[in-house]
């Protein structure tokens, strides 16, 4: 356990940020799964709608500092490739 006042504060901040990051990362996984399930179902229209939502959300996470720019670009690119293959 932290012994200094500043270390205690840092521990509190870490706890809050961890919860926030968990929320964002879980949401990223969920929007990704939505796209993949639409691709598996071969539903072009649903896949495009899910892709639009996923693209927007993944890049939103970049602006929040959850993902790096290149990571987001890679995720979106791989998803878009699968959508285009339908």
């Amino acid at each position: 356990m932290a012994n200094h006042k500043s270390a205690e504060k840092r521990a509190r901040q870490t706890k809050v940020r961890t919860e926030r990051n968990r929320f964002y990362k879980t949401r990223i996984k969920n929007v990704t799964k939505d796209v993949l399930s639409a691709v598996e179902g071969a539903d072009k229209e649903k896949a495009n709608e899910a892709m639009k939502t996923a693209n927007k959300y993944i890049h939103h996470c970049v602006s929040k500092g959850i993902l790096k720019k290149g990571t987001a670009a890679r995720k979106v690119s791989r998803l878009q490739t699968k959508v285009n293959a339908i």
Side-chain angles (χ1 to χ4, degrees):
M1 190 63 201
N3 293 322
H4 296 284
K5 198 170 188 178
S6 61
E8 289 172 353
K9 180 179 179 181
R10 184 55 64 189
R12 287 194 308 269
Q13 289 175 332
T14 300
K15 186 176 180 182
V16 169
R17 288 186 179 129
T18 300
E19 278 300 312
R20 187 178 306 134
N21 290 343
R22 184 177 296 140
F23 166 77
Y24 282 116
K25 290 193 177 216
T26 300
R27 179 100 166 87
I28 290 168
K29 289 176 191 172
N30 289 338
V31 296
T32 302
K33 285 178 191 174
D34 291 344
V35 174
L36 294 177
S37 66
V39 167
E40 285 180 14
D43 188 356
K44 183 88 168 169
E45 185 177 320
K46 188 176 177 183
N48 283 330
E49 284 298 317
M51 186 62 212
K52 186 176 177 183
T53 304
N55 187 12
K56 186 175 180 179
Y57 190 76
I58 289 171
H59 284 95
H60 171 74
C61 289
V62 171
S63 68
K64 295 292 184 184
I66 306 301
L67 292 176
K68 290 184 178 180
K69 189 176 175 182
T71 303
R74 185 179 65 247
K75 286 180 180 292
V76 169
S77 176
R78 288 178 180 172
L79 286 173
Q80 190 65 55
T81 301
K82 290 180 181 179
V83 170
N84 290 344
I86 296 178

